[in-house]
Amino acid sequence: MNQTIAVNKLLLAWAREESGYELDQVASRLKVKEDRVSAWENGELQPTLKQLEKLAHFFHRPLSVFFLPQKPQLPPLAAEYRRLPDVEPGHESPELRLALRQMLARRENGLNLIGELSQPILEFSLRANLKESPAEVGARMRQATGISIDFQFEWTDKWEAWREWRKAVEDLGVFVFQFPKVKLTEVRGLALLRRPMPVIAINGKEMNPEARVFTLFHELAHLMLAASNEEVSAVQEKRKGEDWLVVERFAEAAASHAIVPESVLLDVIRSFGLQRVAWNKDNVRQVARKFWLTPLAMATRLRESGFMNWYAYN
């Protein structure tokens, strides 16, 4: 019979809760009954070494964490990221919680490496205010990237567009990460509001590079708002419902203006002879391909400039 090992019961419960798992999920993973996991956490029983190793692997924690004298005092993860539309702070999925921890560690490692190489740390200096027009903010983003329209129109495929935009945003003093295993229905992208070198993260399940580009600029707009104290972390954000929707739509519109400047959009529409058409999916796709955007993002841009109403957009 496998010998049990004495551990701090408080650390068992802490590791599970901090990782976002319920008792039944842990029991299923370890192939034991739920009441056994509960007994471990209240100290009635102790796990075997093999079971403890499985717990450490499942929670992505070092084995030694279960022998600490007390729980680590960590800030809530929701204090790190901007509010996300479909995520309740403190109730992130286990996959998202792991991704957040990994991105925070990668950022810290990146800053340490920059320091060891004696390289200057780029200061993210872009700012935005909700009283500004999204077009102004988008133009400021666009100018900061240094990417000209001629250069944008020279790109030969959507992956080249993604690489160039990503590099341009990283040069602004932003870490751009991708994270795996999180459902797109939970989050497509997020921003970590730490400074210096804040983070924009894109869900790796988003296989369309054109969609990644729009998410990149959407999150950049949120970073700009946060830098002006127009936004705070998810755990501090008090705006709800329509009040928060205003912020999301602002970021959405600013992103669309950054990728597709107004004057250039008008020129492209004229060149395709689409000034007076009733917009349909084919027309939207035609213009979207010119800018390496998804049709949905292009429809957002057309709606923003009055070429399409909400009915046609929906």
Side-chain angles (χ1 to χ4, degrees):
M1 184 175 181
N2 291 326
Q3 187 175 359
T4 60
I5 185 167
V7 295
N8 186 338
K9 63 181 183 181
L10 297 178
L11 270 301
L12 289 172
W14 171 84
R16 175 180 60 77
E17 293 167 356
E18 186 67 18
S19 298
Y21 289 108
E22 299 294 335
L23 284 169
D24 63 326
Q25 293 173 293
V26 177
S28 175
R29 181 61 176 261
L30 268 67
K31 295 181 172 56
V32 298
K33 292 184 178 180
E34 188 176 330
D35 57 3
R36 178 171 290 270
V37 179
S38 181
W40 291 341
E41 292 187 2
N42 61 33
E44 294 175 5
L45 295 174
Q46 295 285 1
T48 65
L49 178 58
K50 185 174 182 180
Q51 288 170 332
L52 197 62
E53 289 174 340
K54 288 182 177 179
L55 284 171
H57 181 73
F58 188 37
F59 298 150
H60 294 271
R61 306 282 178 176
L63 189 67
S64 58
V65 78
F66 300 112
F67 300 96
L68 294 174
Q70 58 186 12
K71 297 183 293 184
Q73 299 300 309
L74 300 177
L77 286 173
E80 305 288 355
Y81 62 83
R82 65 110 176 160
R83 177 179 169 178
L84 299 166
D86 299 315
V87 177
E88 182 181 350
H91 295 273
E92 306 87 357
S93 71
E95 294 79 13
L96 179 55
R97 294 185 71 81
L98 175 60
L100 288 165
R101 296 205 323 263
Q102 290 175 333
M103 285 185 283
L104 288 166
R106 288 169 65 189
R107 175 186 172 276
E108 198 64 31
N109 291 339
L111 288 173
N112 290 337
L113 182 59
I114 291 171
E116 289 177 6
L117 295 174
S118 300
Q119 297 295 315
I121 294 177
L122 297 174
E123 182 63 35
F124 180 70
S125 59
L126 287 176
R127 303 288 186 272
N129 191 290
L130 289 171
K131 293 182 180 179
E132 297 180 272
S133 76
E136 291 174 355
V137 174
R140 190 152 64 248
M141 278 196 278
R142 176 74 186 223
Q143 183 177 15
T145 66
I147 289 182
S148 68
I149 289 297
D150 288 341
F151 184 43
Q152 183 179 2
F153 285 174
E154 287 175 2
W155 297 335
T156 57
D157 65 66
K158 53 192 177 183
W159 287 106
E160 182 181 7
W162 162 242
R163 288 192 300 270
E164 294 295 342
W165 283 127
R166 176 178 179 173
K167 181 181 182 301
V169 171
E170 287 178 329
D171 288 344
L172 298 176
V174 178
F175 285 118
V176 179
F177 297 151
Q178 295 180 66
F179 55 93
K181 299 182 180 180
V182 179
K183 293 180 180 178
L184 282 172
T185 51
E186 183 174 22
V187 59
R188 291 183 175 274
L190 57 85
L192 302 184
L193 306 183
R194 285 198 177 188
R195 295 178 64 186
M197 301 289 285
V199 172
I200 291 175
I202 311 294
N203 194 328
K205 286 185 179 292
E206 180 57 81
M207 301 305 295
N208 190 331
E210 298 153 312
R212 293 184 184 189
V213 168
F214 191 82
T215 299
L216 177 71
F217 277 93
H218 182 97
E219 298 302 331
L220 182 61
H222 281 291
L223 284 183
M224 293 170 68
L225 290 169
S228 297
N229 298 316
E230 290 275 5
E231 273 196 60
V232 291
S233 67
V235 74
Q236 297 173 303
E237 183 58 64
K238 304 302 180 186
R239 285 171 291 200
K240 297 180 180 179
E242 284 296 321
D243 289 338
W244 178 251
L245 192 57
V246 169
V247 181
E248 279 292 292
R249 285 182 177 165
F250 182 93
E252 185 180 78
S256 69
H257 278 284
I259 302 166
V260 185
E262 184 74 13
S263 59
V264 181
L265 175 63
L266 294 174
D267 288 343
V268 169
I269 288 174
R270 289 192 194 100
S271 70
F272 289 152
L274 300 174
Q275 302 98 308
R276 296 179 178 83
V277 301
W279 288 89
N280 58 39
K281 291 180 181 179
D282 290 336
N283 294 335
V284 173
R285 287 193 184 98
Q286 183 181 13
V287 180
R289 278 195 297 270
K290 185 71 175 177
F291 294 93
W292 298 114
L293 269 182
T294 64
L296 178 59
M298 195 68 243
T300 298
R301 184 66 185 82
L302 292 166
R303 187 197 71 213
E304 174 67 16
S305 289
F307 288 101
M308 184 179 294
N309 58 29
W310 275 102
Y311 177 79
Y313 174 83
N314 289 331

